[in-house]
Amino acid sequence: MSASIVVVGSLNMDMVVSLNHRPDRGETVLGKDFFMNAGGKGANQAVAARKLGAEVAMIGKVGNDLFADQLLANLEQVGVDCSAIEKTAEEATGVAFITLDPQGDNSIVVAAGANLRLTPEDVRKQEGLIKQAKLLMVQLEIPLETVKEAITIAKRHQVPVLLDPAPAQELPKELLAMVDYILPNEMEIAQLTGVEVSDQLSAKLAAVELINKGVSTVFAKLGEKGVVVVGANRTFFVEPYKVDAVDSTAAGDAFAGAVGAALVNGKDIWAAAKFASAIGAITATRKGAQASMPMLEEAEKFIKEAAHNQ
């Protein structure tokens, strides 16, 4: 088994309800519609990269239940190698409860379940898979010690590491020093650096803090304000694509998967950021997580039409 990208991360079943406004404390709100969709940051990023042409394998853990079978079937349908995803009877498959307002903004509560059973030992068993990859992708919906082990193995074999630091939490400097590419949004980069981010300048200042902590390249995501990319010797800004957002649930994961796919395909960080911005924009125009992510042909058509309309 081999893959150009190995994703170590979470798999969740997303339960999404649309509503007019999110409830305040003690308030009951009647939702408008409900649907379930395959999700989890790790699985989302694996699907995004696979849909864009990368060969992807995933390391993760699910329960021994109906949701597990549905999530694995969805990954296999798009061509993600699931042979390193294990089932456990100790926990249910992870779930996420998502509320979606009319502006496409969301609030998410995750019950991690089996994702928290993914151990460093589970990752060590897959060292052979990681060592042959061109890129390791990790997030923070699994135990931090497991993330550290995956990154340590990757660096042992000179495999570049892409980290999406979500959900936001403080990270030790020794972990950050092993990261080649980090993709925080405004809240996450503020959590990591103590620098409040609201615009391009503050994003650059915060990114420089991460560079000083040892990260090689920072993709600071500012949502509808674009992306600031900072490396050791270069900084640039990627203008956002203008779209009518419907659901932002997996736009960040689509962005990460697109960056990964672009990098293993030989694109530089500027081209990767520009490409990923388009993928995130397309994803935000549709409801759902993995189902909302575009195939490569559709993405190329979107980018071409956007360039024509400028």
Side-chain angles (χ1 to χ4, degrees):
M1 144 173 92
S2 64
S4 57
I5 295 176
V6 173
V7 178
V8 179
S10 57
L11 303 92
N12 294 326
M13 181 60 76
D14 290 351
M15 301 183 184
V16 187
V17 60
S18 299
L19 35 70
N20 288 325
H21 70 274
R22 282 168 275 182
D24 294 326
R25 181 178 181 181
E27 179 183 13
T28 298
V29 173
L30 294 178
K32 295 190 293 184
D33 60 71
F34 169 81
F35 65 94
M36 297 197 320
N37 182 59
K41 296 193 72 63
N44 289 348
Q45 293 177 18
V47 167
R50 179 66 192 124
K51 283 188 171 183
L52 297 170
E55 293 295 327
V56 182
M58 184 168 180
I59 300 170
K61 192 159 284 191
V62 292
N64 188 16
D65 50 39
L66 181 60
F67 286 165
D69 295 337
Q70 292 173 337
L71 294 177
L72 293 174
N74 188 76
L75 288 172
E76 290 167 350
Q77 184 178 8
V78 298
V80 174
D81 184 337
C82 297
S83 55
I85 300 174
E86 296 184 356
K87 287 187 174 183
T88 176
E90 297 175 334
E91 293 279 357
T93 298
V95 294
F97 304 93
I98 302 171
T99 59
L100 184 64
D101 70 19
Q103 287 72 47
D105 291 326
N106 61 59
S107 296
I108 304 175
V109 176
V110 175
N115 293 304
L116 295 183
R117 295 285 182 171
L118 186 65
T119 66
E121 177 58 29
D122 293 325
V123 175
R124 283 193 288 272
K125 289 190 298 184
Q126 302 299 334
E127 182 165 354
L129 178 62
I130 295 172
K131 72 180 288 187
Q132 58 75 52
K134 294 182 179 178
L135 182 70
L136 174 76
M137 296 180 59
V138 288
Q139 322 78 35
L140 301 178
E141 287 185 337
I142 57 175
L144 187 58
E145 61 183 7
T146 305
V147 173
K148 290 179 182 177
E149 185 64 24
I151 293 175
T152 299
I153 291 171
K155 301 315 291 183
R156 183 183 304 143
H157 299 288
Q158 292 81 52
V159 176
V161 174
L162 184 154
L163 170 64
D164 180 3
Q169 60 179 279
E170 294 183 7
L171 295 174
K173 187 174 180 179
E174 59 269 23
L175 185 150
L176 291 171
M178 294 189 288
V179 171
D180 296 277
Y181 310 99
I182 194 167
L183 285 65
N185 63 21
E186 299 106 316
M187 181 179 67
E188 291 153 3
I189 199 167
Q191 177 81 30
L192 291 170
T193 66
V195 178
E196 292 300 319
V197 173
S198 58
D199 54 20
Q200 291 183 45
L201 178 58
S202 55
K204 180 180 177 180
L205 292 174
V208 169
E209 288 295 314
L210 288 177
I211 297 294
N212 291 338
K213 291 177 184 287
V215 177
S216 298
T217 303
V218 180
F219 294 76
K221 301 177 294 183
L222 306 180
E224 61 185 17
K225 299 176 185 177
V227 182
V228 175
V229 183
V230 179
N233 302 307
R234 186 181 179 193
T235 299
F236 54 83
F237 175 68
V238 176
E239 292 282 352
Y241 286 87
K242 302 298 184 183
V243 296
D244 294 323
V246 172
D247 180 1
S248 62
T249 299
D253 293 333
F255 182 95
V259 169
L263 291 173
V264 300
N265 196 39
K267 294 183 184 294
D268 61 22
I269 58 173
W270 158 256
K274 187 71 174 175
F275 177 67
S277 294
I279 302 307
I282 296 170
T283 301
T285 65
R286 304 162 177 168
K287 288 186 177 180
Q290 295 168 26
S292 67
M293 296 170 174
M295 302 293 288
L296 181 59
E297 297 79 7
E298 182 184 3
E300 290 174 339
K301 180 181 178 181
F302 173 88
I303 292 169
K304 184 176 180 180
E305 290 177 349
H308 178 75
N309 293 330
Q310 284 182 346

